[in-house]
Amino acid sequence: MYSIKSFFIASSLIIGATSFAQDNLVNSLKINASENSKAAFQFTDVVNIENTSIKNQGSSGTCWSYSANSFLESEMIRMGKKPIELSQIFSARNAYVEKGRNYVRMHGAVTLGDGGAFHDVMNMYKKYGAVPQSMYTGLNYGTDKNKFAEMGALTEAFLKAVVTNPNGELTPNWEKAYAAIIDSYLGQTPKSFDYNGKKYTPESFAKEVVGINADDYVEISSLQEYPYYSKFVLMVPDNWAFDQVYNVPANELTDIIDNALKTGYTVAWGGDVSEKTFSWKNGVAYVPEKKVEDMTAEEKADLFKGPKNEMKVTDEARQKAFDNYTTTDDHGMHIVGISKDQNGKEYYIVKNSWGATNDYKGYLYMTKEFVKYKTTDIMLHKNAIPSAIAKKLKV
């Protein structure tokens, strides 16, 4: 018999990889900083689209859900609706259930952890609906912020036990038991709830209040190994659903983002933030002309003391960085505007989900070269794509 004691011993040996990876990422970025960086960069907004308040994903790998739900909140504003803080953990909880089913169906040969992708939020929205954050916080065990490592260790150990198939065939009960573990940490999702004096289900709330058509949104990436203006499966660990993205040249990534922002649409952004020239504390990210490892001590100390010249990113450089793991799917954020520095160079204004803990109270400024180089994918409304590119993509 697989006892509760042996289950907990097994689970204690497994690290909740995504939660710890996120914490380790945030902690590692603390060294990418300099004093008085804010005084050395003088930003002037060109476009700044209305968005909701800064959130904190806590100790969880749920950036994909926080950024995609922030994006949906801005879409509601764009559509003339009153913005509502949507439950990020409602999306995540439902994705975890689906991810577990996929893991068992694939005999354990896919990624677990609490990471995910923007399409997970859209897929869960279509299948399960949406709820206000006030109706489902996911804080079910006394914490005031997400802390998912223990839950992740338990669910991973449980699913690994399932795929060993100790009965010789799977029972219909494992899914209930798996969901019960998740719900014991996050709480059961509401079947119905009252909001502003009216009763809703998650499905009716999504349809009547949020009012977004999930089929209107597309994901776009840029990899030289696939034909441009076609779709491919983005081969990153957190794409557990194997959804496809559209492919465009690197320069068109920023053309698309520019067009979106200048016509009132925001953009969900996923990419690599582990670079030495990404400073969360200082709120600046760029691509230096010289590799950091080739810099002198003085040059390294000067990294965030004002604007610097940048490398010109090519499609070849993007592909090489993706192939050699120097561009990975670290993090998801929300692009909400464009700003210029004192030299006239444009940066994207990016909303993060690590709380208002940096120089810009939860936002940062990311250069276009950084976005060309370090993006894994973006998500936006299909009408935000420039018409010439949309025609090539057939969207």
Side-chain angles (χ1 to χ4, degrees), residues 8 49 83 94-95 148 155 197 200 207 227 248 254 277 284 316 355 390:
F8 273 86
I49 299 172
N94 292 323
F148 285 2
T155 53
Y200 295 96
K207 182 178 180 180
V248 299
T254 48
T277 50
V284 176
E316 292 79 10

Side-chain angles (χ1 to χ4, degrees), residues 171 220 235 360:
T171 72
I220 300 173
M235 301 301 288
Y360 296 100

Side-chain angles (χ1 to χ4, degrees), residues 176-339:
K176 294 178 183 177
Y178 171 63
I181 296 172
I182 296 171
D183 290 347
S184 68
Y185 281 89
L186 304 183
Q188 292 187 344
T189 56
K191 292 183 172 57
S192 64
F193 54 91
D194 291 326
Y195 184 79
N196 285 349
K198 185 175 179 180
K199 197 173 193 66
Y200 295 96
T201 64
E203 294 84 356
S204 67
F205 185 80
K207 182 178 180 180
E208 298 173 25
V209 180
V210 181
I212 286 167
N213 180 3
D215 294 329
D216 286 339
Y217 299 86
V218 295
E219 286 178 291
I220 300 173
S221 186
S222 175
L223 286 177
Q224 197 178 38
E225 66 178 308
Y226 301 105
Y228 291 130
Y229 312 112
S230 64
K231 296 182 81 172
F232 69 95
V233 176
L234 183 59
M235 301 301 288
V236 295
D238 283 336
N239 187 14
W240 57 270
F242 306 111
D243 276 24
Q244 292 187 317
V245 300
Y246 288 95
N247 195 28
V248 299
N251 282 339
E252 291 188 0
L253 275 177
T254 48
D255 290 343
I256 291 167
I257 296 170
D258 286 348
N259 187 76
L261 295 168
K262 290 173 182 177
T263 54
Y265 295 84
T266 65
V267 179
W269 179 88
D272 190 301
V273 300
S274 60
E275 304 301 308
K276 296 294 185 185
T277 50
F278 179 101
S279 174
W280 167 238
K281 193 270 181 188
N282 295 143
V284 176
Y286 70 99
V287 184
E289 282 187 309
K290 184 190 291 189
K291 291 182 179 180
V292 173
E293 55 266 33
D294 296 332
M295 291 182 181
T296 65
E298 292 77 11
E299 288 172 326
K300 291 178 182 178
D302 194 50
L303 282 173
F304 302 107
K305 295 179 181 178
K308 301 291 186 297
N309 292 331
E310 292 188 277
M311 177 182 93
K312 296 301 179 185
V313 176
T314 63
D315 292 295
E316 292 79 10
R318 264 193 63 83
Q319 183 69 53
K320 182 179 179 181
F322 187 81
D323 288 342
N324 67 21
Y325 294 177
T326 55
T327 292
T328 56
D329 59 330
D330 292 340
H331 194 42
M333 298 186 288
H334 182 195
I335 300 176
V336 298
I338 300 172
S339 193

Side-chain angles (χ1 to χ4, degrees), residues 131-176:
V131 303
Q133 203 274 343
S134 59
M135 297 296 167
Y136 191 73
T137 65
L139 302 173
N140 195 45
Y141 49 97
T143 62
D144 61 356
K145 291 186 180 68
N146 301 328
K147 197 168 186 178
F148 285 2
E150 182 177 292
M151 178 184 71
L154 288 170
T155 53
E156 185 168 349
F158 177 87
L159 291 173
K160 287 187 175 182
V162 171
V163 297
T164 63
N165 196 13
N167 281 358
E169 62 180 41
L170 297 185
T171 72
N173 296 58
W174 76 263
E175 288 191 42
K176 294 178 183 177

Side-chain angles (χ1 to χ4, degrees), residues 8 16 31 38 50-51 73 96 114 126 132 140 144 166 173 175 216 229 259 278 326 340 359 378 383 391-392 394:
F8 273 86
I31 63 173
K38 192 173 182 181
E50 186 177 355
N51 54 91
E73 291 161 6
Y96 296 159
D114 39 316
K126 288 173 67 173
N140 195 45
D144 61 356
N173 296 58
E175 288 191 42
D216 286 339
Y229 312 112
N259 187 76
F278 179 101
T326 55
K340 287 184 179 180
D359 285 354
I378 60 174
N383 290 348
K391 185 175 181 180
K392 292 178 184 178
K394 298 178 182 176

